Amino acid sequence: MMEGYIAGIFINESSRSQGLGKALLDYVKANCSELSLQVYKKNACAVKFYIREDFAVSKEQIDENTGEVEIIMNWTK
């Protein structure tokens, strides 16, 4: 976390789908009124997760370092 920006949530592959990411996100949501993040469009599971957690897509752009399409998402309490 950096001032309302989620730099990343990383869960070990063997521990995914057990509610850990949601628990971390719920903790952050309880302590912030607005959040933002960037996620690669090709990471469909992450995009779906954030949409399910009430994040909205604000725009798409190209990550200049990787050439990948990334989605900018925001959440407001």
Side-chain angles (χ1 to χ4, degrees):
M1 286 291 306
M2 296 184 299
E3 299 180 11
Y5 176 74
I6 298 174
I9 297 177
F10 298 98
I11 305 295
N12 187 306
E13 191 171 342
S14 64
S15 298
R16 291 182 188 158
S17 298
Q18 296 179 25
L20 298 173
K22 179 172 176 31
L24 288 169
L25 194 54
D26 285 347
Y27 175 81
V28 172
K29 284 177 167 181
N31 294 288
C32 295
S33 58
E34 295 181 355
L35 297 168
S36 64
L37 59 88
Q38 295 168 267
V39 62
Y40 287 135
K41 187 174 185 175
K42 71 179 184 180
N43 189 348
C45 290
V47 173
K48 184 178 174 181
F49 168 76
Y50 290 118
I51 289 172
R52 187 177 70 232
E53 295 302 318
D54 298 322
F55 279 76
V57 174
S58 62
K59 73 176 190 175
E60 289 186 17
Q61 63 188 23
I62 302 295
D63 181 333
E64 292 180 12
N65 296 315
T66 65
E68 295 286 343
V69 176
E70 60 185 5
I71 299 173
I72 311 302
M73 303 183 87
N74 298 291
W75 172 86
T76 304
K77 194 176 275 190

